[in-house]
Amino acid sequence: MPNQRSFHDTYLNKINTLAAEFRLPEAIREYQKYIQTYPRDVLGYIYYADALFKNNNLDEIEPILQKAEKLVSKKVNYKDVLFIQAIRLKLLVALNKYQEAYNYFMENEKDFYDIKSISMYKSFLEKKMGKLITDVSDTTYLKKQILLYQDETTLSHIKKQHLQEFADSFSLEAIYYELKKSLPNELKIRSGFLADCYIFKSLACGYDKGRLVDFLKVVTFSNSDEIITMFPYSNRERLDFIDLNNTLEGPKLKRMNQIEKFNKKYNQGLNK
């Protein structure tokens, strides 16, 4: 039942914390309850749509964005409008609708320039459209990989940024090319406009905040096998993963069942 109040900051912040911790199915259920109780809170719809995006529920997002748009005015709620536009742009890219994404970007270019690193996003779309990239002044790592992707450049970047985090026994280059074989796949986490994230299991692969861990986080350009970076990861969120341990049979997608999640959580509690 709708509430007399139009919003509830404390309730919404608690749900946002769930989403930030990548407890996405739980967060999505709570966002659904929230907008039923507070149907006039535009932020409820926006955060809900963003959680759906991260969880790869792409076909559910546009109706939520349309409801949010009915509640905002560009003059009064400029930041909310920009947030809606950014999610829609990410959605079009995730759906491989690059022509629509490019057109939408150009129609709202003045608004998007309030977003950090927007020139890089524009270059990404120009490359996908086969257009001549207009801004070549940015020589950052990501921009160079957008212009001309090379595995050797990524490996050099990983070694520079994360080599000390990997175990001495970890064969970085061999594992890098092995895990690429399974990319992209359905276990992606949509982490942004340009990037997807994946979790891989590789026993005792390295250290996350000084603790030996069994997982890797791998970041790629959207819908591709083009790796941006990778590093050891604790996977405390118990996210679904791709198992690299039996490389003879190739990487295997693995969804953690409820018993495994309970045992992992219980054992972590005992080890604290």
Side-chain angles (χ1 to χ4, degrees):
M1 178 180 292
N3 197 290
Q4 293 290 334
R5 294 177 58 183
S6 60
F7 64 93
H8 194 301
D9 280 345
T10 303
Y11 182 16
L12 186 58
N13 287 337
K14 287 182 178 179
I15 308 173
N16 291 344
T17 298
L18 294 176
E21 294 173 350
F22 284 93
R23 296 161 62 182
L24 294 171
E26 187 178 352
I28 287 169
R29 288 193 295 270
E30 291 301 320
Y31 283 128
Q32 291 169 344
K33 295 176 185 177
Y34 183 87
I35 62 175
Q36 289 175 355
T37 309
Y38 303 98
R40 291 175 290 167
D41 186 1
V42 63
L43 285 178
Y45 291 96
I46 290 173
Y47 289 128
Y48 176 29
D50 196 51
L52 289 170
F53 176 81
K54 290 176 180 176
N55 202 49
N56 218 20
N57 296 23
L58 303 184
D59 58 342
E60 301 175 35
I61 296 173
E62 183 59 33
I64 303 301
L65 293 180
Q66 291 177 9
K67 289 180 180 179
E69 285 175 325
K70 293 179 180 178
L71 297 170
V72 297
S73 163
K74 195 167 186 176
K75 292 182 180 179
V76 179
N77 310 96
Y78 174 73
K79 289 185 178 179
D80 294 343
V81 171
L82 182 58
F83 202 165
I84 293 169
Q85 290 173 328
I87 294 173
R88 180 170 284 120
L89 184 61
K90 291 192 297 185
L91 175 60
L92 290 171
V93 171
L95 293 171
N96 293 321
K97 296 182 177 181
Y98 298 118
Q99 180 67 64
E100 290 183 46
Y102 183 78
N103 293 343
Y104 188 73
F105 177 90
M106 297 307 296
E107 290 169 7
N108 300 281
E109 187 172 11
K110 291 182 179 178
D111 296 334
F112 286 130
Y113 267 99
D114 283 344
I115 299 177
K116 186 179 179 181
S117 302
I118 197 62
S119 64
M120 184 167 59
Y121 304 154
K122 184 177 182 181
S123 295
F124 178 82
L125 288 172
E126 287 176 335
K127 180 179 179 180
K128 290 295 185 180
M129 292 299 301
K131 294 180 176 291
L132 178 66
I133 296 178
T134 57
D135 180 10
V136 295
S137 60
D138 186 350
T139 57
T140 61
Y141 164 68
L142 276 179
K143 186 64 173 286
K144 285 191 287 188
Q145 287 293 74
I146 289 172
L147 293 171
L148 179 62
Y149 183 84
Q150 293 182 325
D151 287 309
E152 295 79 5
T153 302
T154 294
L155 283 165
S156 176
H157 173 80
I158 294 169
K159 291 175 183 177
K160 182 178 180 181
Q161 297 294 324
H162 301 291
L163 185 60
Q164 70 280 3
E165 300 167 29
F166 292 102
D168 291 340
S169 60
F170 184 78
S171 302
L172 176 59
E173 293 195 20
I175 296 296
Y176 175 92
Y177 286 108
E178 180 65 31
L179 64 83
K180 276 179 70 79
K181 297 175 183 177
S182 66
L183 299 174
N185 65 64
E186 64 189 56
L187 296 191
K188 64 170 65 71
I189 302 166
R190 302 283 184 179
S191 61
F193 175 75
L194 293 176
D196 298 328
C197 288
Y198 299 89
I199 308 300
F200 285 82
K201 186 171 186 178
S202 180
L203 294 176
C205 58
Y207 298 85
D208 182 1
K209 298 179 181 178
R211 183 177 180 179
L212 186 63
V213 296
D214 297 329
F215 295 92
L216 301 165
K217 176 177 274 191
V218 178
V219 184
T220 71
F221 283 115
S222 181
N223 293 336
S224 79
D225 66 348
E226 295 179 344
I227 298 172
I228 299 171
T229 192
M230 58 184 271
F231 46 86
Y233 191 65
S234 65
N235 195 22
R236 291 179 180 175
E237 307 92 339
R238 300 178 295 280
L239 299 169
D240 295 331
F241 59 87
I242 302 102
D243 195 343
L244 284 172
N245 290 307
N246 193 345
T247 56
L248 292 177
E249 297 180 18
K252 293 183 178 180
L253 277 61
K254 173 71 173 176
R255 297 188 185 276
M256 295 184 75
N257 63 40
Q258 293 303 311
I259 295 176
E260 289 173 320
K261 289 184 178 181
F262 173 81
N263 288 338
K264 185 176 179 67
K265 183 176 181 181
Y266 179 74
N267 290 332
Q268 285 178 344
L270 290 177
N271 293 328
K272 286 182 179 178

